[in-house]
């Protein structure tokens, strides 16, 4: 298996809402990303205004690929669409395919310039322009382990971890589009009605149909929602309710704010862990164990665990040594 | 491609023997070959097995001092030797193919010394100016002997006693050493040692370092991924430079065992208090 090994300096990142949201913050875009566990209207209600749905999936080998996901290729797509030219950049590329199609997007100057610079380009060229933007690559890499101990050049055998693939669904000029950086053009899934759930209804049908076409258990997937950051407004509402003595409303809002605060603190914690180079900590931990006279027992314990693993694997008749 | 060249340290005629998948039997292969030990362009010691007919290098192992040993298989009656790894059950079997057994032990002795001692220089008994080499001419004159049935039987008997995997497996994983279970006792027994870890935690944590935060971090997928990566990198033996930055000897970067050995040494010298930055 060779695959595209030219990562061109783009590191593989986790596809966690906290990672996406941090990237958006770096791009000065006032949107956030959240996990979506269900496409029902109740779940989606709290994520309004919803800008795009991101469907991410890991294709498990051995099950056949569905022949089509419905919709039609739109080679005259007037909006922003870039091809994925570097595998590791897939998450950021999906975000950009979404952001590039949001009207009146508020963002930092670099992103605005990049988007306008690529106007009129074909998807391949646009994809290359994006992946050549050093500042964007640095923002992307900021959330994976520093390459001080880069393992890229060491030819280590790959683990079973593979990158997810990202597909964006969002409304552009009255129709729901599917933007997949590995497909030749955007796919148009038809127009939508401007009342009720609007585009979301169409998008939901398309996504559910897609999921249903895979054989059961053949797909590991999750859904993300790209939406406006309503947290500041929420906090303002709470302050107002408290100020006006509306305790009932304030209590409800306070719970909301507490949940959201806890979630963002968890994101900040995880992102801080993602950026860190652990070599010093590994050294310090091992040294502390050694100084406390507990390193040798720890090693003995590790040896025993390994023997147990080998025995268990032999009993199952397997081979190969991946850490659990 | 010549079998030997300027970088060759020693070489001798030898065939290989392999364990059959799923069984405990080892079978010699008849191919005429040579064990060639050379110092590569990378300055590292290469233990190679070359096919004397095709002149291909079919095995090329980079070995660091004490990674492996080369000894006679005493249970086999004849000229069978094994390259044995110190940190795994991996075994490579060879049988001597030179018509005369007179120099078997001499070759084996030097191979083993080369594998144990960095910078070892073989000194040969014979007065011959060049080290004995596998012939670079097309056909060696003496016919290579195949293992006798007795030798094979004894080899099989020996291997029957061995257990273990057919492929390389580490003796333990670093992540099984650095587990929360192993250091939580230190929270009460050696809290001052736990504090020495705090400066190495991520600097931008939303909450200040504490025993609880430390436990969370050690259990996190990010840390575990880093330990896995570090473990793998150590097994490549190429982390000498990084070790110097940590105040450890370069040798610590040659394997997980060497790394932990060096840490043990450093802890012994450093005692409690400030970390020592002296290299060995």
């Amino acid at each position: 298996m060779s695959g595209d090994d030219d990562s061109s300096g783009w590191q593989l990142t986790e596809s966690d809402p906290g990672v996406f949201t941090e990237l958006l913050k770096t791009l000065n875009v006032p949107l956030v990303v959240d996990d979506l566990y269900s496409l029902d209207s109740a779940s989606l209600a709290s994520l309004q205004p919803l800008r795009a749905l991101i469907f991410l999936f890991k294709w498990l080998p051995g099950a056949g690929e569905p022949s089509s996901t419905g919709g039609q290729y739109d080679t005259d797509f007037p909006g922003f669409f870039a091809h994925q030219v570097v595998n590791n950049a897939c998450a950021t590329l999906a975000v950009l395919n979404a952001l590039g199609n949001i009207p009146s997007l508020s963002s930092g100057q670099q992103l605005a310039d990049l988007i306008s610079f690529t106007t009129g380009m074909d998807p391949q060229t646009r994809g290359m322009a994006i992946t050549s933007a050093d500042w964007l690559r640095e923002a992307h890499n900021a959330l994976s382990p520093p390459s001080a101990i880069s393992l890229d050049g060491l030819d280590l055998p790959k683990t079973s971890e593979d990158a997810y693939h990202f597909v964006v669904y969002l409304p552009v000029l009255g129709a729901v589009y599917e933007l997949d950086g590995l497909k030749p053009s955007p796919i148009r899934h038809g127009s939508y009605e401007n009342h009720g759930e609007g585009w979301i209804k169409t998008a939901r049908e398309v996504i559910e149909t897609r999921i249903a076409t895979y054989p059961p258990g053949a797909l590991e997937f999750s859904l993300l929602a790209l939406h406006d950051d309503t947290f500041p407004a929420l906090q303002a509402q709470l302050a107002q309710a408290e100020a006006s003595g509306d305790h009932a409303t304030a209590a409800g809002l306070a719970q909301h704010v507490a949940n959201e605060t806890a979630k963002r603190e968890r994101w900040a914690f995880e992102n801080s862990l993602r950026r860190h180079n652990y070599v010093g900590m590994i050294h310090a931990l091992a040294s502390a164990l050694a100084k406390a006279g507990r390193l040798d027992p720890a090693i003995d314990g590790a040896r025993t665990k390994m023997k147990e693993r080998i025995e268990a694997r032999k009993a199952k008749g397997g081979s190969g040594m991946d850490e659990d | 491609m010549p079998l030997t060249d300027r970088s060759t340290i020693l070489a001798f005629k030898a065939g290989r023997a392999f364990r059959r998948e799923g069984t405990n039997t080892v079978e010699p292969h008849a191919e005429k070959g040579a064990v060639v030990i050379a110092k590569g362009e990378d300055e590292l010691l290469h233990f190679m097995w070359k096919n004397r007919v095709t002149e291909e290098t079919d095995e090329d192992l980079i070995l660091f001092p004490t990674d492996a040993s080369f000894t006679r298989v005493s249970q086999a009656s004849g000229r069978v030797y094994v390259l044995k790894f110190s940190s795994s059950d991996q075994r490579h079997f060879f049988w001597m193919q030179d018509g005369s057994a007179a120099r078997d032990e001499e070759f084996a002795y030097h191979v083993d010394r080369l594998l144990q001692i960095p910078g070892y220089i073989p000194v040969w008994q014979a007065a011959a100016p060049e080290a004995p080499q596998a012939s670079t001419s097309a056909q060696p004159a003496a016919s290579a002997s195949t293992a006798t049935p007795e030798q094979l039987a004894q080899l099989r008997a020996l291997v029957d006693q061995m257990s273990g995997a057919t492929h390389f497996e580490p003796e333990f994983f670093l992540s099984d050493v650095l587990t929360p279970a192993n250091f939580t006792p230190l929270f009460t027994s050696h809290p001052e040692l736990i504090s020495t870890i705090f400066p190495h935690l991520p600097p931008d944590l939303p909450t200040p370092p504490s025993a609880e935060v430390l436990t969370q971090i050690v259990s996190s997928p990010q840390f575990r991924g880093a330990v896995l990566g570090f473990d793998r990198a150590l097994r490549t033996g190429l982390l000498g430079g990084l070790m110097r930055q940590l105040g450890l000897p370069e040798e610590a970067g040659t394997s997980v065992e060497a790394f932990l050995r060096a840490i043990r040494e450093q802890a012994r010298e450093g005692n409690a208090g400030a970390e020592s930055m002296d290299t060995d």
Side-chain angles (χ1 to χ4, degrees):
Chain A
M1 183 206 99
S2 60
D4 176 20
D5 273 3
D6 175 22
S7 53
S8 304
W10 288 77
Q11 291 168 32
L12 195 61
T13 55
E14 292 176 52
S15 43
D16 185 88
V19 172
F20 281 103
T21 303
E22 188 65 22
L23 178 69
L24 291 165
K25 209 189 290 185
T26 311
L27 299 175
N28 271 318
V29 170
L31 303 178
V32 298
V33 172
D34 271 306
D35 275 321
L36 202 53
Y37 298 105
S38 152
L39 281 173
D40 64 49
S41 21
S43 309
L44 293 172
S46 57
L47 302 170
Q48 301 299 337
L50 182 66
R51 302 298 188 160
L53 292 170
I54 304 177
F55 176 59
L56 46 128
F57 64 103
K58 183 157 72 171
W59 178 236
L60 300 172
E65 177 85 54
S67 53
S68 93
T69 56
Q72 288 167 320
Y73 282 118
D74 183 350
T75 50
D76 293 324
F77 181 67
F80 183 100
F81 176 64
H83 278 162
Q84 181 178 310
V85 300
V86 171
N87 277 347
N88 286 358
C90 51
T92 298
L93 185 95
V95 169
L96 251 58
N97 271 335
L99 296 179
N101 290 301
I102 295 174
S104 319
L105 177 78
S106 162
S107 81
Q109 194 60 45
Q110 283 169 312
L111 180 61
D113 288 346
L114 181 63
I115 291 176
S116 75
F117 172 68
T118 63
T119 311
M121 287 183 180
D122 64 273
Q124 185 70 11
T125 311
R126 195 182 265 119
M128 288 171 52
I130 289 172
T131 14
S132 315
D134 290 340
W135 65 270
L136 186 61
R137 191 188 63 236
E138 280 162 24
H140 168 103
N141 288 344
L143 283 159
S144 51
S147 49
I149 185 165
S150 164
L151 304 174
D152 275 344
L154 291 178
D155 251 2
L156 295 169
K158 300 226 189 271
T159 57
S160 49
E161 234 180 76
D162 289 307
Y164 275 81
H165 183 49
F166 299 78
V167 177
V168 176
Y169 293 87
L170 84 172
V172 183
L173 297 174
V176 171
Y177 277 90
E178 172 185 331
L179 304 180
D180 180 342
L182 291 180
K183 297 233 161 85
S185 5
I187 296 171
R188 188 179 195 278
H189 285 285
S191 57
Y192 56 89
E193 289 167 353
N194 255 323
H195 60 81
E197 291 186 294
W199 72 274
I200 295 172
K201 184 163 180 289
T202 307
R204 176 196 297 125
E205 283 161 12
V206 170
I207 292 174
E208 286 178 346
T209 307
R210 179 176 197 150
I211 293 173
T213 55
Y214 291 98
L219 197 69
E220 267 181 42
F221 70 91
S222 53
L223 280 168
L224 299 175
L226 175 69
H227 62 97
D228 286 19
D229 184 1
T230 49
F231 194 44
L234 190 65
Q235 289 168 307
Q237 277 180 296
L238 174 62
Q240 188 171 39
E242 281 172 342
S244 68
D246 181 356
H247 297 295
T249 311
L253 288 171
Q255 187 57 55
H256 236 86
V257 168
N259 292 345
E260 190 66 23
T261 306
K263 182 189 76 183
R264 288 175 189 226
E265 197 176 279
R266 183 170 47 86
W267 282 354
F269 179 73
E270 288 166 359
N271 284 337
S272 128
L273 260 53
R274 284 181 183 108
R275 291 185 193 104
H276 192 56
N277 180 335
Y278 289 96
V279 172
M281 184 174 153
I282 290 172
H283 180 212
L285 256 178
S287 295
L289 283 175
K291 285 179 186 154
R294 292 187 180 264
L295 184 58
D296 286 330
I299 294 175
D300 287 339
R303 276 196 228 271
T304 306
K305 254 195 204 157
M306 183 62 91
K307 288 204 174 89
E308 286 165 3
R309 261 190 214 109
I310 293 176
E311 289 309 308
R313 221 166 236 110
K314 268 201 209 142
K316 279 198 270 184
S319 69
M321 258 335 263
D322 282 335
E323 197 186 310
D324 339 320
Chain B
M1 184 178 80
L3 286 173
T4 62
D5 58 28
R6 273 181 304 120
S7 65
T8 308
I9 299 171
L10 69 75
F12 53 89
K13 294 178 197 166
R16 296 180 296 177
F18 296 93
R19 201 165 92 165
R20 211 193 304 160
E21 274 279 324
T23 74
N24 276 336
T25 54
V26 172
E27 288 161 346
H29 282 204
E31 297 159 309
K32 296 176 184 156
V35 165
V36 178
I37 303 207
K39 192 163 196 191
E41 271 172 36
D42 43 20
E43 293 297 302
L44 302 172
L45 194 74
H46 288 247
F47 181 109
M48 298 177 278
W49 185 83
K50 300 195 183 188
N51 186 311
R52 275 187 281 138
V53 171
T54 65
E55 300 201 327
E56 296 284 300
T57 301
D58 289 340
E59 298 260 23
D60 187 352
L61 303 166
I62 294 178
L63 297 174
F64 288 88
T66 74
D67 269 357
S69 63
F70 190 79
T71 52
R72 202 166 79 85
V73 176
S74 52
Q75 287 91 328
S77 68
R79 309 161 65 192
V80 184
Y81 291 80
V82 62
L83 179 72
K84 197 188 329 190
F85 285 81
S86 49
S87 60
S88 81
D89 288 336
Q90 199 182 15
R91 305 273 185 273
H92 293 256
F93 294 96
F94 300 93
W95 54 281
M96 296 303 197
Q97 287 178 333
D98 193 289
S100 159
R103 308 199 69 166
D104 285 358
E105 281 301 300
E106 192 185 0
F107 283 131
Y109 173 80
H110 287 307
V111 172
D112 190 63
R113 295 290 81 204
L114 281 165
L115 296 179
Q116 303 305 322
I117 302 170
Y120 176 80
I121 297 171
V123 175
W124 300 96
Q125 309 280 26
E130 49 178 73
Q133 295 177 349
S135 170
T136 54
S137 61
Q139 294 294 339
S143 61
S145 52
T146 52
T148 66
E150 292 76 35
Q151 286 175 332
L152 292 184
Q154 281 167 321
L155 206 46
R156 272 193 206 110
L158 170 74
V159 179
D160 277 346
Q161 298 164 37
M162 297 183 197
S163 58
T166 47
H167 44 264
F168 173 69
E169 279 168 2
E171 272 197 347
F172 62 88
F173 282 133
L174 190 56
S175 35
D176 286 334
V177 175
L178 301 178
T179 63
N182 281 333
F183 68 82
T184 33
L186 270 67
F187 292 157
T188 39
S189 67
H190 297 79
E192 75 287 355
L193 287 180
I194 295 292
S195 311
T196 62
I197 303 170
F198 289 166
H200 300 278
L201 300 185
D204 53 355
L205 287 171
T207 51
S210 67
E212 192 194 316
V213 169
L214 179 59
T215 306
Q216 275 183 296
I217 295 177
V218 172
S219 317
S220 73
Q222 290 78 20
F223 179 74
R224 293 183 62 77
V227 174
L228 180 62
F230 189 67
D231 187 315
R232 286 214 186 108
L234 275 173
R235 290 183 206 287
T236 66
L238 299 172
L239 290 189
L242 180 62
M243 294 300 123
R244 301 239 307 281
Q245 289 174 40
L246 295 176
L248 295 170
E250 280 201 30
E251 198 263 339
T254 58
S255 70
V256 176
E257 290 75 14
F259 174 67
L260 293 176
R261 243 192 330 261
I263 297 241
R264 217 184 276 120
E265 262 314 300
Q266 198 185 45
R268 238 183 302 220
E269 291 164 12
N271 296 320
E275 293 166 16
S276 162
M277 286 300 287
D278 293 340
T279 59
D280 264 354

